[in-house]
């Protein structure tokens, strides 16, 4: 499969000679490497080949990373026998990774329709650095750190969450939102990307808190700050009401 992928990349990125990649790969290759280890080496080689004259190597590295993500997700679900998107959401809801409200608002037929709308070809739009960030921060992982969803499934899960208020038109709007996200025409703030579709979702990213001039007020603000930060949000604290250092209490 990797050799076939390299052949496809050679045809698509003819300006990037695969002989350069092979030469670098030889210096890192070791016997009895797993498929994931081979992909890691190929990504490392591509990153080293990136230059002002040949920026396309970052896109090639992204293809290898996408291949690795797909292998990892398929491996995580292999015991389920290649389950559908609906079955994955149902299992993740049962295990506390997905919010139960998703399947409370979408029927199996609607989820199947949305699964058929997934556009895997949009994975080609990712750069290596962008896809690496998405994998590390936003894809749902199990408690033992296995990746449980692919990028296009993540985008659709976010879109389904955001479209819930549309009620009868939620499937239509889920597709519309998915198109914007999947095509990388716009993105969401970290709380939305990381938390939507999950049980404990914090969708807003910025908060303002006025710190009151008392121990209770100060520690209440610190408590609020910690809870907002836990789910990726940011908070601005206004200290104008807190007395200056050294000033009288009464």
């Amino acid at each position: 499969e990797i050799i076939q992928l390299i052949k496809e990349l050679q045809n698509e990125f003819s300006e990037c000679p695969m002989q350069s990649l092979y030469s670098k790969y030889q210096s890192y290759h070791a016997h009895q490497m797993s498929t994931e280890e081979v992909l890691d080496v190929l990504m490392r080689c591509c990153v080293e080949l990136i230059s002002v004259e040949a920026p396309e190597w970052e896109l090639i590295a992204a293809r290898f990373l996408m291949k690795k993500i797909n292998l990892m997700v398929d491996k995580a679900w292999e015991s389920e026998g290649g389950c559908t998107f609906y079955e994955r959401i149902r299992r993740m809801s049962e295990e506390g990774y997905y919010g139960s409200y998703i399947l409370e608002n979408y029927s199996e037929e609607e989820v199947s329709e949305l699964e058929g709308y997934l556009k895997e070809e949009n994975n080609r739009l990712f750069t290596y650095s962008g896809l690496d960030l998405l994998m590390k921060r936003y894809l749902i992982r199990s408690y033992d750190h296995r990746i449980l969803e692919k990028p296009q499934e993540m985008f659709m899960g976010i879109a389904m969450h955001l479209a819930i208020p549309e009620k009868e038109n939620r499937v239509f709007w889920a597709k519309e939102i998915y198109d914007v996200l999947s095509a990388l025409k716009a993105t969401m703030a970290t709380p939305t990307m990381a938390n939507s579709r999950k049980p404990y979702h914090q969708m807003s990213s910025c908060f303002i808190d006025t710190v009151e001039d008392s121990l209770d007020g100060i520690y209440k603000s610190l408590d609020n700050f910690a809870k907002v930060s836990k789910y990726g949000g940011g908070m601005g604290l206004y200290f104008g009401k807190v007395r200056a250092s050294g000033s009288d209490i009464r």
Side-chain angles (χ1 to χ4, degrees):
E1 291 183 9
I2 294 177
I3 293 175
Q4 181 60 36
L5 176 58
I6 291 175
K7 289 180 179 179
E8 293 173 2
L9 293 171
Q10 178 66 81
N11 293 331
E12 185 174 351
F13 299 95
S14 56
E15 66 276 16
C16 297
M18 291 299 143
Q19 183 58 43
S20 299
L21 178 62
Y22 179 68
S23 298
K24 276 194 171 291
Y25 175 79
Q26 285 183 309
S27 63
Y28 293 112
H29 177 73
H31 292 294
Q32 297 181 335
M33 294 173 65
S34 67
T35 302
E36 290 182 13
E37 289 172 333
V38 171
L39 289 169
D40 285 335
V41 170
L42 288 169
M43 283 184 278
R44 180 175 181 179
C45 294
C46 288
V47 170
E48 292 182 1
L49 288 168
I50 297 170
S51 66
V52 175
E53 294 76 22
E56 293 82 6
W57 284 109
E58 186 175 11
L59 296 175
I60 296 174
R63 300 292 181 83
F64 289 128
L65 180 55
M66 183 59 66
K67 181 67 173 178
K68 180 181 177 181
I69 291 172
N70 288 337
L71 287 174
M72 293 170 70
V73 174
D74 291 341
K75 184 178 180 180
W77 290 100
E78 64 183 356
S79 62
E80 305 295 326
C83 54
T84 64
F85 187 36
Y86 174 83
E87 291 166 344
R88 292 186 185 188
I89 293 177
R90 180 178 57 78
R91 284 297 305 276
M92 286 191 284
S93 298
E94 292 172 353
E95 297 177 15
Y97 303 120
Y98 241 80
S100 60
Y101 55 87
I102 295 293
L103 294 187
E104 289 170 0
N105 286 277
Y106 291 89
S107 67
E108 183 173 357
E109 291 74 19
E110 289 173 328
V111 176
S112 297
E113 179 182 345
L114 292 171
E115 180 182 14
Y117 196 74
L118 295 176
K119 299 178 179 178
E120 296 297 329
E121 64 272 17
N122 285 352
N123 289 329
R124 296 171 178 265
L125 301 174
F126 285 114
T127 61
Y128 173 75
S129 55
L131 183 57
D132 184 59
L133 179 68
L134 184 146
M135 178 186 71
K136 291 177 179 177
R137 286 192 179 184
Y138 303 124
L139 294 181
I140 292 178
R141 291 176 179 263
S142 65
Y143 299 124
D144 57 357
H145 309 295
R146 293 174 298 133
I147 299 177
L148 298 178
E149 66 177 354
K150 299 177 181 180
Q152 297 306 317
E153 293 172 344
M154 179 204 72
F155 285 136
M156 184 58 80
I158 294 171
M160 290 167 68
H161 185 154
L162 297 178
I164 286 174
E166 301 303 326
K167 298 181 180 179
E168 291 82 5
N169 295 320
R170 57 180 174 263
V171 172
F172 170 81
W173 283 107
K175 291 179 180 180
E176 292 290 303
I177 297 169
Y178 168 80
D179 281 339
V180 172
L181 295 176
S182 178
L184 306 184
K185 294 178 180 179
T187 188
M188 304 290 181
T190 288
T192 303
M193 291 284 288
N195 302 321
S196 56
R197 77 206 179 281
K198 296 181 182 177
Y200 304 104
H201 54 86
Q202 172 183 289
M203 304 293 280
S204 299
S205 58
C206 297
F207 298 85
I208 301 295
D209 192 16
T210 299
V211 182
E212 297 298 331
D213 188 19
S214 67
L215 285 177
D216 288 342
I218 292 169
Y219 282 97
K220 180 181 178 182
S221 293
L222 292 175
D223 180 67
N224 290 338
F225 195 107
K227 290 176 179 176
V228 169
S229 296
K230 179 179 181 180
Y231 295 107
M235 178 177 283
L237 295 177
Y238 174 67
F239 283 90
K241 292 190 174 184
V242 178
R243 73 180 75 90
S245 177
S247 61
D248 293 337
I249 295 177
R250 298 287 186 269

